[in-house]
Amino acid sequence: MNVLFWLSIGLDRRTPSEHLLTAMIEALYKRGHTVHILQKDTGGHIKELYPKLRDLGVTTTKIEMSPVEHGNLVNRYVSDVGYVQKAKSWLKVNGHMFDRVFLQSSNVAGFQVRVLKSCMPQVPIIFNIQDIFPENAVYSGKLKKNGVPYYFFSCLQKYAYKNANALITISEDMKSEIVQLGVNADKIEVIYNWSYQDDPYDISLSEDRDIRKMLPHDTFNVVYAGNIGIMQNVEVLIDTARQSTDPNIVYHIFGDGIYKQKLIERAKNLNNVKFWSMQLTEKAPALYSCADVNVIPLAHDIYRTALPSKTATCMAVRKPIAFCIGKTSAFGREVMRKTGYECFDCNDTRGLLGYIEKIKKGLFKFNTDAFFVEYMSVTKNSMRYAEIIENAQ
């Protein structure tokens, strides 16, 4: 079976999803299938496929596109529609070569599915939903739910949900949101994103010299690492730091994004908040391992439409996690029940500070190993993707 992976991104730049895509493709090759990747080329420094993919024999077609500023929703959408139109020309000629299409999470999935139905109508489509658009834009305040833009975007995405043969999303909360949009629950599989290996990480990672220069042993380090945008609600760390009276607790924010400068201004008079640039992907496990507490925050109700990809790696390093995503989250409640971690509403600074202080005093007990191995195994979860792609009808 020859599978087309139609990506909404370009692998010419580093992406948080590259380990997910690589594992899915490796699983397909283990089952005797082949993969061709249709992707953007935005002029990034990575000219070829990752070594693992090249060694498997994966081939690729690149569609030249100009890079677009991440925070500009309108320009990004217009650019993505243009990408679909360019890809359509290629699919008209080459679509007959494929037995399945794996559609990566995309804000223009409605246009993509229409193109696929036109160019290769008999080929099953598997749509992987890593975030739910335009609902995520509504919950973050970028769109009004009763507005014409929302109606336009929503109708197109619903077309994709209806006409894809199988849907895969990454949390029970997201599945519930999709079901509320009128999609049959039986059509949707939930597979959590995974980290970089099957087993939890060794404690020796917490002695990484590069990271320890920023997170020294003689301070209690509370860490957020990731994109700094409207959906992440990183403000909760700064507001918690403002209430903290313990000079030994330091709040570290690693990353970049459109709201970083605003956060720097917000923390201007706080000595217990430090900002750092985004670290290399390879350093992520060590970074989380060197933290005393990892904070995973989201803006109000965003848990319904997304789950941060770093969740699995944070669990794998066996360090305390504070989920500031919303107490009504089904994922949050399940994690609390099975690991001992605590989940807070997105702006509960008092609860977060109390949790941090309790951890610092050694009064907190948790165990993530069983949860991680059961739900976030690279091998198990990537094979589930391969099976769904293989069996889609």
Side-chain angles (χ1 to χ4, degrees):
M1 188 171 72
N2 195 14
V3 182
L4 176 66
F5 267 53
W6 189 0
L7 307 186
S8 59
I9 58 173
L11 299 181
D12 56 329
R13 301 173 190 272
R14 298 306 300 269
T15 166
S17 63
E18 63 190 53
H19 69 291
L20 303 174
L21 293 168
T22 300
M24 294 174 202
I25 292 170
E26 285 181 314
L28 284 166
Y29 272 82
K30 286 178 182 177
R31 297 175 73 88
H33 309 302
T34 58
V35 172
H36 184 83
I37 296 175
L38 180 58
Q39 59 167 308
K40 293 179 182 177
D41 183 350
T42 60
H45 68 282
I46 303 174
K47 302 304 179 184
E48 299 182 25
L49 289 173
Y50 311 135
K52 279 188 177 181
L53 299 182
R54 290 203 312 270
D55 292 345
L56 286 172
V58 177
T59 54
T60 187
T61 296
K62 296 183 178 182
I63 306 293
E64 289 190 10
M65 298 295 298
S66 299
V68 180
E69 183 184 349
H70 184 76
N72 193 319
L73 177 63
V74 174
N75 286 355
R76 279 179 58 204
Y77 198 88
V78 171
S79 175
D80 286 344
V81 172
Y83 167 57
V84 173
Q85 291 305 309
K86 287 185 177 183
K88 181 178 180 180
S89 300
W90 184 86
L91 287 164
K92 282 182 177 179
V93 176
N94 299 284
H96 68 279
M97 298 189 301
F98 302 103
D99 305 293
R100 300 286 188 277
V101 177
F102 178 83
L103 190 61
Q104 186 199 29
S105 198
S106 168
N107 291 353
V108 295
F111 289 107
Q112 290 174 282
V113 172
R114 284 181 183 276
V115 165
L116 292 169
K117 289 296 181 183
S118 170
C119 296
M120 37 205 299
Q122 304 304 317
V123 177
I125 302 167
I126 300 88
F127 182 20
N128 182 210
I129 307 164
Q130 294 279 331
D131 59 77
I132 304 173
F133 180 80
E135 279 64 34
N136 53 5
V138 170
Y139 292 137
S140 64
K142 291 182 179 180
L143 284 179
K144 294 182 179 179
K145 193 158 188 175
N146 57 354
V148 173
Y150 169 80
Y151 180 77
F152 171 77
F153 295 140
S154 181
C155 285
L156 283 168
Q157 291 301 97
K158 286 178 182 178
Y159 177 87
Y161 300 149
K162 179 180 178 181
N163 288 280
N165 299 77
L167 304 175
I168 305 172
T169 194
I170 59 173
S171 77
E172 289 80 4
D173 295 303
M174 293 172 67
K175 178 175 180 177
S176 296
E177 186 75 13
I178 298 166
V179 169
Q180 288 180 26
L181 295 172
V183 181
N184 187 337
D186 294 338
K187 191 177 184 177
I188 310 166
E189 292 286 340
V190 174
I191 305 176
Y192 292 148
N193 285 346
W194 49 87
S195 185
Y196 305 96
Q197 60 184 46
D198 279 326
D199 300 316
Y201 287 94
D202 190 88
I203 194 171
S204 62
L205 271 181
S206 64
E207 298 304 325
D208 184 280
R209 291 182 180 180
D210 295 329
I211 302 299
R212 278 300 175 193
K213 291 175 183 177
M214 298 174 281
L215 305 178
H217 281 291
D218 59 358
T219 59
F220 189 86
N221 301 298
V222 180
V223 171
Y224 169 81
N227 186 51
I228 302 174
I230 194 170
M231 295 187 190
Q232 284 74 35
N233 190 38
V234 186
E235 293 93 330
V236 70
L237 270 79
I238 294 172
D239 295 341
T240 301
R242 196 180 306 280
Q243 297 178 27
S244 179
T245 58
D246 186 337
N248 198 46
I249 300 176
V250 181
Y251 296 77
H252 301 266
I253 297 172
F254 290 83
D256 299 293
I258 58 174
Y259 282 89
K260 184 172 184 176
Q261 190 56 44
K262 290 183 179 180
L263 292 189
I264 291 173
E265 289 296 317
R266 189 166 183 153
K268 186 164 54 178
N269 299 317
L270 296 176
N271 296 323
N272 58 348
V273 177
K274 293 186 177 182
F275 289 87
W276 307 93
S277 61
M278 186 75 80
Q279 301 300 297
L280 294 172
T281 301
E282 292 80 4
K283 286 289 186 181
L287 175 59
Y288 300 135
S289 186
C290 290
D292 294 292
V293 183
N294 287 295
V295 181
I296 298 180
L298 289 173
H300 183 65
D301 278 340
I302 293 297
Y303 74 84
R304 300 177 185 274
T305 66
L307 183 66
S309 58
K310 61 177 168 279
T311 301
T313 305
C314 286
M315 285 200 174
V317 300
R318 298 163 161 162
K319 287 297 185 74
I321 303 173
F323 288 94
C324 299
I325 62 176
K327 281 191 171 182
T328 56
S329 162
F331 174 79
R333 292 197 302 269
E334 184 75 355
V335 166
M336 289 174 67
R337 186 172 69 85
K338 291 191 173 181
T339 68
Y341 289 146
E342 292 193 23
C343 182
F344 304 93
D345 285 330
C346 58
N347 293 315
D348 185 3
T349 54
R350 182 176 297 181
L352 177 57
L353 181 58
Y355 182 58
I356 291 167
E357 291 174 340
K358 182 167 69 174
I359 294 168
K360 186 172 182 289
K361 292 175 183 176
L363 303 176
F364 173 69
K365 294 182 179 180
F366 67 98
N367 190 318
T368 62
D369 286 8
F371 188 93
F372 178 81
V373 171
E374 182 176 358
Y375 295 109
M376 295 177 171
S377 160
V378 178
T379 302
K380 186 188 300 183
N381 288 12
S382 62
M383 276 296 176
R384 284 187 63 197
Y385 268 90
E387 289 168 3
I388 292 169
I389 292 169
E390 192 176 75
N391 296 322
Q393 299 291 330

